[in-house]
Amino acid sequence: MTTALTNTFLDHFDPVRLFGPIFDKELRVSSRRKRNYVLRFAYILVLSIFIVSIWYSTIGIRSSGSTVYQISRFSSAGRHIMTTIAWFQFIAAQLIAIVMLSSSVSDEIRTGTLSVLMTTPISSFQIVTGKLLGKLLQLMVLLAISLPLLAIIRIFGGVPWDYVVSSVCITMTAVMLAGTVSLMLSMIYRHSYTVVMMTILGYLLVFCALPGIFNMLAVKGVFIFDRQVTQSLLALINPFVAFAATNGILLQSGVPKFFSWPLHCLIMLAVAAVLMTISIWRVRKAALGQAFGGSCKLWSGRIFKRRARSNLDNAGSILPVTGPPIVWKEMRKGFVGHSRTDRIMTIMLIVLFCLAAILLLLSPRNNIIPTLLILGLYWIAMIRIAVFSAGSIADEKEARTWPVLLATPLDGKDIVRGKAVAAFRRNVPLLLLYLVLMCISYIIIGMRAFPQILISLPITAVDMVCSIIFLAGMGMYFGVRLKTTTTAVAATVGSYLIMTSLFRGVFSISFRLLFSAIGSSWFIWVFHGTSIISSLAMGGIGIYQIRCAERRVRRNIF
């Protein structure tokens, strides 16, 4: 009798029975993919670099002082290392969730299997929850990797268990929210990199720019709520503000007056449940759109419907080719693009630029939100360069026009360099917006720091140029080697993130080694010298990858 009841209980609460065979399929496929093992290795590598860097910045390279003094610094080191690991996994887990779920439904639509799934007894709930939980389970494994490390660091003292529990819970709910947003957008947009960029832009606007505007208005006394109430409300509905408040409790740097992380987690779970309900409702319409040649759009997409344009007026007209033919062909798409998605993205970028400029001009100097917006705009520009570089060749392969292009008199050098130049030129307006914000920030700093600005300007320019060269080179190389646009873009962006973390981590450690060896008299020159060397190394790798792509153009044609 007991065995029968136990078996009945296990059958009803079996995860496969609850979430359907899609969840079981995702678990089986994930355990066989090499990319998941590479992801875990990269995650541990970058996490180790961050830990070593923060350890050297807190304890130092050389042991100085008595043993009692060294032991007294362990508490401070434990808090700094704990907050570094918590912030790293908070941001990295959300980014990984956005990337992993960006192609969850669009891949099914592109391969034509979503409409077949809808003919089976599998419900829309099982499809959406199976896709979501199957990917998030891999993220839970990554978060579980750092849990023993967080528990061990508590030995240093100064880190309560409440912080460990609250940071992990806020991170998990934020990952759930990011995953549901990416899953819902994957039903609308075809390519995964479009989903990633739209999600990041939405996060910058909703969770960074708008809260910064509200907080600035509350500080100046022109908002409907005062500063304490505004910050408390933002901590409840904004995962980044809530996580910063949790760290403020640990570091005793100030927290909102009314803050409850369990209530924040419940609100985030409720929002994720609403988005998941919308996804369940939209997945069947996405399948019908695939079956009958339509497209899946949200109700807000009707606003951006364009009227059909007749091509009779341009029939028979041939535009002359000016300049290099590859650059001319790619620039025919324009800086913005012709699709509705490109126009929406351009509008969001302009709004983000305007809000960042307003915050730079009106907010206090110690406000970190304008700096985050400038950094976000820079990363969006870098991602767009990676997309246009890697996707320019991979799109030719997917459209079956790559053999036709290779049959022209153009050699590999003309094709690769032309597409790299076009990828840069199409992102010039976005880079100019970033430079305008940088100039505004330098002007606001004032003439007191004019010598430092004069030194940092060329270093910033060298870093940006070398990053562009690296992304263009890696994008061309992966576009030649790989078959699909999504894989090429993911490999390009992933290599950039890993190499940036590696070079920045090695730069930080080597800088501290040199600083401890030569003293503080050469502080500025050692700092700038090591940063320039790391930037030039990445630029050299990009040039080498461009040449490798030129040599491999006529391989892997199909």
Side-chain angles (χ1 to χ4, degrees), residues 230-295:
T230 302
Q231 291 180 353
S232 300
L233 291 176
L234 290 176
L236 290 177
I237 62 177
N238 192 328
F240 295 90
V241 178
F243 200 82
T246 304
N247 283 272
I249 295 174
L250 177 66
L251 301 177
Q252 298 179 357
S253 59
V255 294
K257 186 176 182 180
F258 308 101
F259 173 66
S260 173
W261 66 264
L263 181 59
H264 164 80
C265 293
L266 291 176
I267 293 175
M268 291 297 102
L269 288 177
V271 175
V274 171
L275 295 177
M276 191 167 65
T277 304
I278 296 174
S279 301
I280 293 171
W281 171 57
R282 294 298 303 180
V283 69
R284 188 167 293 276
K285 293 192 175 184
L288 293 175
Q290 175 204 342
F292 296 102
S295 58

Side-chain angles (χ1 to χ4, degrees), residues 29-31 33-40 100 138:
V29 171
S30 299
S31 62
R33 285 178 175 171
K34 295 181 180 179
R35 70 182 69 172
N36 292 325
Y37 296 97
V38 175
L39 176 63
R40 293 168 193 169
M100 291 182 68
Q138 304 299 320

Side-chain angles (χ1 to χ4, degrees), residues 97 101 131-141 175-176 179:
L101 286 159
K131 292 283 185 181
L132 180 65
L133 297 180
K135 299 294 185 182
L136 292 184
L137 188 61
Q138 304 299 320
L139 281 172
M140 295 301 108
V141 173
V175 167
M176 181 71 71

Side-chain angles (χ1 to χ4, degrees), residues 401-417:
T401 58
W402 183 240
V404 179
L405 182 60
L406 295 180
T408 61
L410 299 173
D411 57 4
K413 180 179 178 181
D414 296 332
I415 295 173
V416 171
R417 297 192 180 184

Side-chain angles (χ1 to χ4, degrees), residues 39-158:
L39 176 63
R40 293 168 193 169
F41 172 77
Y43 181 85
I44 296 174
L45 176 64
V46 177
L47 180 61
S48 302
I49 292 173
F50 271 90
I51 293 174
V52 172
S53 300
I54 199 66
W55 174 266
Y56 283 151
S57 64
T58 306
I59 299 298
I61 305 295
R62 296 178 178 178
S63 299
S64 59
S66 62
T67 305
V68 177
Y69 174 73
Q70 290 293 325
I71 294 174
S72 65
R73 299 180 64 186
F74 284 165
S75 177
S76 176
R79 287 196 300 269
H80 284 83
I81 294 174
M82 181 74 76
T83 54
T84 301
I85 296 174
W87 271 111
F88 172 80
Q89 70 179 11
F90 176 73
I91 297 175
Q94 292 185 76
L95 290 175
I96 295 172
I98 293 171
V99 173
M100 291 182 68
L101 286 159
S102 60
S103 60
S104 54
V105 180
S106 59
D107 279 350
E108 301 284 351
I109 296 175
R110 187 173 60 253
T111 56
T113 56
L114 183 60
S115 57
V116 178
L117 279 176
M118 303 309 294
T119 62
T120 63
I122 304 174
S123 63
S124 301
F125 172 81
Q126 291 177 337
I127 293 175
V128 172
T129 55
K131 292 283 185 181
L132 180 65
L133 297 180
K135 299 294 185 182
L136 292 184
L137 188 61
Q138 304 299 320
L139 281 172
M140 295 301 108
V141 173
L142 294 180
L143 294 178
I145 291 174
S146 59
L147 280 178
L149 185 60
L150 294 175
I152 292 174
I153 293 175
R154 288 196 67 256
I155 300 175
F156 292 121

Side-chain angles (χ1 to χ4, degrees), residues 411-483:
D411 57 4
K413 180 179 178 181
D414 296 332
I415 295 173
V416 171
R417 297 192 180 184
K419 287 185 176 292
V421 171
F424 166 72
R425 288 178 59 181
R426 291 188 64 189
N427 287 278
V428 167
L430 186 56
L431 293 172
L432 289 177
L433 293 180
Y434 166 73
L435 292 176
V436 169
L437 291 178
M438 290 295 296
C439 292
I440 294 174
S441 64
Y442 283 141
I443 292 172
I444 291 175
I445 291 174
M447 299 301 295
R448 294 179 301 175
F450 181 75
Q452 290 81 359
I453 294 175
L454 194 62
I455 296 174
S456 61
L457 273 176
I459 295 176
T460 304
V462 169
D463 181 69
M464 185 173 67
V465 171
C466 291
S467 297
I468 292 172
I469 294 174
F470 178 84
L471 285 170
M474 298 301 293
M476 291 296 109
Y477 178 75
F478 286 119
V480 170
R481 288 294 301 267
L482 303 176
K483 295 181 180 181

Side-chain angles (χ1 to χ4, degrees), residues 190-509:
R190 175 186 175 187
H191 296 291
S192 62
Y193 54 81
T194 306
V195 176
V196 172
M197 294 184 65
M198 293 295 290
T199 307
I200 293 176
L201 272 174
Y203 262 55
L204 287 174
L205 287 172
V206 176
F207 291 141
C208 191
L210 292 179
I213 294 292
F214 294 152
N215 187 57
M216 182 190 67
L217 295 176
V219 171
K220 295 182 179 295
V222 295
F223 196 55
I224 56 177
F225 302 115
D226 59 4
R227 181 179 179 180
Q228 288 290 337
V229 176
T230 302
Q231 291 180 353
S232 300
L233 291 176
L234 290 176
L236 290 177
I237 62 177
N238 192 328
F240 295 90
V241 178
F243 200 82
T246 304
N247 283 272
I249 295 174
L250 177 66
L251 301 177
Q252 298 179 357
S253 59
V255 294
K257 186 176 182 180
F258 308 101
F259 173 66
S260 173
W261 66 264
L263 181 59
H264 164 80
C265 293
L266 291 176
I267 293 175
M268 291 297 102
L269 288 177
V271 175
V274 171
L275 295 177
M276 191 167 65
T277 304
I278 296 174
S279 301
I280 293 171
W281 171 57
R282 294 298 303 180
V283 69
R284 188 167 293 276
K285 293 192 175 184
L288 293 175
Q290 175 204 342
F292 296 102
S295 58
C296 177
K297 299 178 182 179
L298 289 177
W299 52 86
S300 59
R302 300 173 185 174
I303 303 175
F304 301 96
K305 271 187 177 180
R306 295 180 298 167
R307 296 179 180 178
R309 297 178 179 178
S310 175
N311 295 325
L312 296 177
D313 296 335
N314 297 326
S317 62
I318 299 177
L319 297 176
V321 179
T322 57
I326 297 296
V327 178
W328 177 86
K329 171 183 175 293
E330 295 294 328
M331 291 305 297
R332 286 280 297 161
K333 302 174 183 178
F335 295 106
V336 176
H338 302 297
S339 65
R340 178 176 59 90
T341 303
D342 294 332
R343 296 181 181 182
I344 295 175
M345 195 177 298
T346 303
I347 294 173
M348 295 176 68
L349 286 171
I350 294 174
V351 172
L352 181 64
F353 168 77
C354 295
L355 294 178
I358 292 172
L359 287 172
L360 272 174
L361 294 173
L362 300 179
S363 62
R365 292 184 180 179
N366 58 353
N367 193 356
I368 197 176
I369 294 181
T371 305
L372 295 177
L373 291 177
I374 295 174
L375 185 62
L377 196 64
Y378 173 78
W379 276 97
I380 291 173
M382 295 297 107
I383 293 174
R384 280 174 60 90
I385 292 174
V387 168
F388 292 152
S389 300
S392 58
I393 296 179
D395 281 341
E396 301 276 359
K397 292 183 178 180
E398 290 182 344
R400 304 297 178 91
T401 58
W402 183 240
V404 179
L405 182 60
L406 295 180
T408 61
L410 299 173
D411 57 4
K413 180 179 178 181
D414 296 332
I415 295 173
V416 171
R417 297 192 180 184
K419 287 185 176 292
V421 171
F424 166 72
R425 288 178 59 181
R426 291 188 64 189
N427 287 278
V428 167
L430 186 56
L431 293 172
L432 289 177
L433 293 180
Y434 166 73
L435 292 176
V436 169
L437 291 178
M438 290 295 296
C439 292
I440 294 174
S441 64
Y442 283 141
I443 292 172
I444 291 175
I445 291 174
M447 299 301 295
R448 294 179 301 175
F450 181 75
Q452 290 81 359
I453 294 175
L454 194 62
I455 296 174
S456 61
L457 273 176
I459 295 176
T460 304
V462 169
D463 181 69
M464 185 173 67
V465 171
C466 291
S467 297
I468 292 172
I469 294 174
F470 178 84
L471 285 170
M474 298 301 293
M476 291 296 109
Y477 178 75
F478 286 119
V480 170
R481 288 294 301 267
L482 303 176
K483 295 181 180 181
T484 61
T485 305
T486 301
T487 309
V489 172
T492 304
V493 177
S495 62
Y496 179 66
L497 291 174
I498 293 174
M499 294 302 295
T500 302
S501 302
L502 183 62
F503 275 106
R504 294 297 183 270
V506 172
F507 152 70
S508 178
I509 296 173

